[in-house]
């Protein structure tokens, strides 16, 4: 009798998805939710201290208003059909993202001293979700800088590309650049473990990364050894993508598929490396 009743169950009551598929879907949803929780925590911190965004905007403003305007008049750097201030604007945006993200790892050291990291580590949240959440929250800070750079660029009559797809591309490039450099910063923090050493290393790295890229001059005028360094510098590919998408008539030296492939691959790689090293910050 029971077998007969089971056989007569309506088809709608039978799940079409295999158990493994359901497990994968629920696991993915849980992973995304935990990552979003970390992002939300970081955004709430930013809302409580929004002055950081204003102070961080001073340096890129000086680069555009002083360095950019002067070299636009001098015409000393060959930039093809672009005015130098137009050529420089995407580079300054990438620089601003770099300078914010590269010091993001110090928050891990602060959280360790406050005991927050210990709570994260004993929670069921995957390490990759913790690192991904930190990386995406750095992207939010990077987007705030993008708004500031766009406003400055408008005031300086930079010829911007307002196509919705181009703006979406800028959004993605800024998120990926912020995610990569913040994860790189987290890895450094997990290795050095002290604020003093971290700040020293961060200050040493920022300017070489910036100057060994195409942010303020084209790769074609670099000496041979510096071209090699620029080609392995992820900031170069972020700037290249931003220059193609942000400017009216902008072009990509390497091609946008290459730019985004490099940014995605190095970001994913560093997320896994950061997840493996994350517990080391408390040891």
């Amino acid at each position: 009798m029971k077998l007969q009743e089971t056989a007569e169950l309506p088809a709608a009551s039978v799940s079409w998805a295999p158990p493994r598929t359901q497990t994968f879907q629920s696991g993915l949803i849980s992973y995304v939710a935990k990552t979003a929780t970390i992002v939300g925590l970081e955004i709430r911190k930013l809302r409580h201290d929004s002055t950081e965004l204003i102070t961080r905007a001073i340096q890129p403003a000086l680069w555009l208003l002083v360095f950019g305007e002067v070299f636009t008049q001098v015409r000393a750097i060959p930039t093809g059909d672009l005015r130098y201030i137009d050529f420089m604007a995407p580079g300054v945006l990438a620089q601003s993202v770099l300078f914010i993200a590269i010091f993001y790892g110090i928050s891990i050291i602060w959280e360790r001293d406050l005991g927050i990291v210990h709570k994260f580590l004993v929670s069921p949240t995957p390490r990759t979700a913790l690192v991904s959440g930190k990386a995406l929250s750095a992207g939010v800070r990077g987007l705030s800088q993008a708004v500031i750079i766009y406003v400055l660029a408008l005031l300086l009559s930079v010829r911007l590309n307002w196509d919705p797809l181009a703006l979406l591309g800028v959004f993605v490039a800024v998120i990926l650049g912020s995610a990569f450099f913040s994860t790189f910063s987290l890895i450094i923090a997990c290795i050095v473990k002290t604020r003093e050493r971290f700040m020293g290393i961060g200050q040493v790295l920022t300017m070489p990364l910036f100057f060994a890229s195409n942010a303020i001059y084209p790769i074609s005028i670099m000496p041979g050894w510096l071209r090699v360094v620029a080609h392995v510098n992820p900031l170069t590919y972020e700037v290249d993508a931003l220059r193609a998408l942000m400017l009216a008539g902008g072009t990509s030296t390497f091609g946008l598929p290459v730019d985004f492939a490099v940014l995605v691959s190095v970001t994913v790689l560093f997320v896994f490396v950061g997840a493996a090293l994350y517990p080391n910050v408390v040891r």
Side-chain angles (χ1 to χ4, degrees), residues 65-140:
L65 295 172
V66 179
F67 191 89
E69 286 287 274
V70 169
F71 274 78
T72 299
Q73 300 298 323
V74 172
R75 301 172 187 262
I77 299 177
T79 55
D81 297 332
L82 294 174
R83 294 186 310 153
Y84 183 71
I85 193 69
D86 292 20
F87 177 87
M88 187 183 181
V92 171
L93 173 54
Q95 178 221 46
S96 182
V97 169
L98 166 66
F99 283 14
I100 285 180
I102 202 67
F103 291 105
Y104 204 68
I106 198 170
S107 65
I108 304 298
I109 300 175
W110 281 109
E111 289 176 354
R112 179 204 62 191
D113 295 342
L114 294 172
I116 298 174
V117 171
H118 298 75
K119 296 178 181 178
F120 283 147
L121 291 175
V122 299
S123 71
T125 304
R127 306 290 182 263
T128 53
L130 292 172
V131 176
S132 299
K134 295 284 185 182
L136 291 175
S137 61
V140 173

Side-chain angles (χ1 to χ4, degrees), residues 25-277:
Q25 290 175 347
S26 60
L28 180 61
I29 293 171
S30 175
Y31 182 89
V32 171
K34 290 172 181 176
T35 303
T37 300
I38 301 298
V39 175
L41 290 173
E42 296 296 320
I43 291 176
R44 282 196 287 273
K45 290 182 188 176
L46 184 61
R47 281 168 42 192
H48 293 150
D49 187 17
S50 57
T51 56
E52 178 187 351
L53 298 180
I54 299 173
T55 56
R56 290 288 187 182
I58 295 174
Q59 190 174 49
L62 290 175
W63 274 96
L64 282 174
L65 295 172
V66 179
F67 191 89
E69 286 287 274
V70 169
F71 274 78
T72 299
Q73 300 298 323
V74 172
R75 301 172 187 262
I77 299 177
T79 55
D81 297 332
L82 294 174
R83 294 186 310 153
Y84 183 71
I85 193 69
D86 292 20
F87 177 87
M88 187 183 181
V92 171
L93 173 54
Q95 178 221 46
S96 182
V97 169
L98 166 66
F99 283 14
I100 285 180
I102 202 67
F103 291 105
Y104 204 68
I106 198 170
S107 65
I108 304 298
I109 300 175
W110 281 109
E111 289 176 354
R112 179 204 62 191
D113 295 342
L114 294 172
I116 298 174
V117 171
H118 298 75
K119 296 178 181 178
F120 283 147
L121 291 175
V122 299
S123 71
T125 304
R127 306 290 182 263
T128 53
L130 292 172
V131 176
S132 299
K134 295 284 185 182
L136 291 175
S137 61
V140 173
R141 293 172 184 256
L143 289 174
S144 66
Q145 294 299 294
V147 172
I148 294 170
I149 299 300
Y150 263 80
V151 171
L152 289 172
L154 277 174
L155 295 176
L156 295 172
S157 301
V158 173
R159 292 173 294 179
L160 297 172
N161 182 5
W162 296 105
D163 181 83
L165 287 178
L167 292 174
L168 178 62
V170 171
F171 174 91
V172 174
V174 169
I175 290 288
L176 287 173
S178 301
F180 168 72
F181 287 111
S182 64
T183 307
F184 182 35
S185 174
L186 183 145
I187 291 172
I188 296 172
C190 291
I191 294 172
V192 301
K193 302 181 184 179
T194 64
R195 289 188 291 273
E196 294 76 13
R197 290 180 182 176
F198 176 85
M199 292 300 295
I201 294 175
Q203 290 171 355
V204 167
L205 288 176
T206 49
M207 299 314 291
L209 283 169
F210 175 54
F211 286 113
S213 73
N214 55 349
I216 56 175
Y217 35 67
I219 294 178
S220 59
I221 67 172
M222 295 179 181
W225 66 269
L226 189 56
R227 292 185 191 183
V228 174
V229 176
H231 278 85
V232 298
N233 183 358
L235 185 66
T236 297
Y237 298 92
E238 182 185 358
V239 173
D240 191 58
L242 290 173
R243 192 165 284 140
L245 295 165
M246 186 175 172
L247 302 177
T251 58
S252 170
T253 301
F254 307 106
L256 287 175
V258 173
D259 293 332
F260 283 104
V262 170
L263 291 173
V264 169
S265 59
V266 295
T267 300
V268 171
L269 173 63
F270 273 51
V271 164
F272 281 102
V273 173
L277 294 177

